[in-house]
Amino acid sequence: MTLFPTRRHSILAAAVAAVLALGAIVPAQAQTASDRAAERRAERDAKKKRSDGTEQQFPAATRTPPEVKGSAKARPKLEKMIKLYDDDKGDEARVVADEIIANEAFNAYDHAFAAQLASQAAYNAGDEAAAIAYMRKAVELNALDNNNHFNAMLMLSQVQMQEEGSLAEGLATLERFLTESGSTKPDHLAMKGQALYQLEKYPEAAAVFKQLVDSNPEPKDQWLSLLMSSNAEMGKTDEAIALAEKIAAKAPDDKKKQMNLAAVYSQADKFDKAAVILEKMRAAGQLTEDRDYKILYSTYLNMEGREKEVATIINDGLAKGILKPDYQTYLAMAQSYYFSDQIAPAIDAYRKAAPLSTDGETYLNLARLLWQEDRIPEAKEAAKQAIAKGLKKPDDAKKILALPAK
């Protein structure tokens, strides 16, 4: 009768996945209610200066800005809409904006300006679908000056990227923005790289972030991290490790960067190096979450002859109240004791793990171990529990139940 599957089939002996926390792409939001009006007025004043030619945000744009300006007929409505928005009455401002957009006597600039303001009001209210519709209209009308036109297009791409299922559409909008505006700003290119990464287009993402890293004397850590991760996803292990080491060396006390380095080592099957990093973090008190300890003991489970350390780590995590006393934890402990020939504590750990399992397989392993130790009555009881909890193949449990009493 086979006692256990080989250790490489352990459910906890899988390579640790990269621990990357990618920031969401989000547009700038309104600040507190007390300073919104002043901020908005200042922003509009700045836009007026830019539209007068004192500051063009997109000097390399291929688009020739239209000559059309706001109509005299629409001015009272536009002013009312602006005042409502400045007074933090976004819903009422949207009502007036809709009236302006629907009025055929007003020109394209009136409509586009109203749509742009309504889009921000809708976004501030959490109505992303309406915000997208308004922004799309503001762009399609093609009536705003370059600064407002391209900023509307940029915000449209950002909000689209936030919406579930619209990431590819947002990337397409961003590509159009980059082409037509001529922008080469690093933050705009980084948005493109992150979108490509999220769409799992790793070679394209890597190309963007490599360009950013190579062209900037002090590249941002996020660019390096995403370049590292893109390389790792493409199987370019050496490049990923070199970048991870560079990032981690610059920030020895940064938990996320050290965890990323350990993850890249694990992906490259360099579990000994990963363990060194993680053990330093444990000694420094940086392993503060349940998953941190699980990553550490899973790393040891992937290393030949290092099973004994797993139980030590688990007991440490449980004693500190960091590790949760759940099924995975007790199963890993049981395997650690078993594969390091500590049978009695292995049995105790299996007894804790088995009731927490969703099926009877862990009870069956307990029964096999008790049978191996010639503890037949206990083995039979565990076999009964295994059958009661559910087994795909109950024959082994039935064989144990059929053993003669001693």
Side-chain angles (χ1 to χ4, degrees), residues 174-250:
L174 181 62
E175 293 273 20
R176 178 186 171 190
F177 162 80
L178 292 170
T179 299
E180 296 181 9
S181 71
S183 174
T184 57
K185 290 182 179 180
D187 287 347
H188 296 162
L189 294 175
M191 283 174 55
K192 175 183 175 180
Q194 184 166 328
L196 288 165
Y197 181 86
Q198 289 177 275
L199 289 167
E200 300 182 2
K201 296 184 177 183
Y202 302 119
E204 295 96 323
V208 171
F209 288 114
K210 190 173 189 308
Q211 176 188 342
L212 285 167
V213 170
D214 291 346
S215 61
N216 288 274
E218 295 185 6
K220 292 184 179 180
D221 286 344
Q222 189 186 40
W223 303 345
L224 289 164
S225 295
L226 285 165
L227 177 55
M228 172 198 72
S229 186
S230 297
N231 283 329
E233 294 288 354
M234 291 188 290
K236 294 185 176 181
T237 305
D238 292 342
E239 290 94 329
I241 288 175
L243 278 168
E245 289 175 338
K246 181 178 180 179
I247 295 167
K250 289 171 60 179

Side-chain angles (χ1 to χ4, degrees), residues 234-288:
M234 291 188 290
K236 294 185 176 181
T237 305
D238 292 342
E239 290 94 329
I241 288 175
L243 278 168
E245 289 175 338
K246 181 178 180 179
I247 295 167
K250 289 171 60 179
D253 297 323
D254 189 306
K255 175 180 175 179
K256 181 178 141 184
K257 293 179 176 62
Q258 298 302 317
M259 292 293 283
N260 282 346
L261 176 56
V264 173
Y265 280 142
S266 293
Q267 287 179 325
D269 290 343
K270 297 180 183 293
F271 299 109
D272 54 341
K273 289 189 174 184
V276 169
I277 297 295
L278 293 167
E279 286 289 15
K280 284 182 181 177
M281 296 178 70
R282 181 162 72 114
Q286 289 182 301
L287 302 188
T288 57

Side-chain angles (χ1 to χ4, degrees), residues 12 22 27 74 92 95 174 186 205 234 265 279 317 359 363 371 397:
L12 292 174
L22 301 180
E92 295 178 49
V95 171
L174 181 62
M234 291 188 290
Y265 280 142
E279 286 289 15
D359 56 35
Y363 268 118
W371 165 78

Side-chain angles (χ1 to χ4, degrees), residues 63-202:
R63 174 182 184 257
T64 301
E67 296 295 332
V68 63
K69 300 297 180 183
S71 66
K73 292 179 182 179
R75 183 174 299 169
K77 282 277 190 182
L78 290 170
E79 290 177 349
K80 179 181 178 181
M81 174 186 69
I82 292 168
K83 186 175 188 308
L84 287 168
Y85 182 76
D86 283 345
D87 290 343
D88 206 22
K89 297 179 180 179
D91 290 343
E92 295 178 49
R94 281 177 63 183
V95 171
V96 178
D98 288 337
E99 292 172 358
I100 294 170
I101 293 168
N103 194 325
E104 295 181 0
F106 299 158
N107 66 27
Y109 180 91
D110 301 329
H111 294 164
F113 184 85
Q116 186 180 34
L117 186 142
S119 71
Q120 188 63 61
Y123 184 81
N124 291 343
D127 190 349
E128 285 84 2
I132 288 173
Y134 282 124
M135 280 183 279
R136 186 179 284 119
K137 187 170 190 64
V139 172
E140 289 174 350
L141 284 166
N142 197 35
L144 298 171
D145 61 87
N146 273 2
N147 287 348
N148 281 305
H149 177 78
F150 288 120
N151 280 318
M153 193 183 297
L154 179 62
M155 186 175 176
L156 173 59
S157 71
Q158 290 173 313
V159 180
Q160 286 173 326
M161 289 177 187
Q162 284 182 270
E163 287 291 282
E164 185 176 354
S166 297
L167 182 58
E169 185 180 8
L171 176 59
T173 303
L174 181 62
E175 293 273 20
R176 178 186 171 190
F177 162 80
L178 292 170
T179 299
E180 296 181 9
S181 71
S183 174
T184 57
K185 290 182 179 180
D187 287 347
H188 296 162
L189 294 175
M191 283 174 55
K192 175 183 175 180
Q194 184 166 328
L196 288 165
Y197 181 86
Q198 289 177 275
L199 289 167
E200 300 182 2
K201 296 184 177 183
Y202 302 119

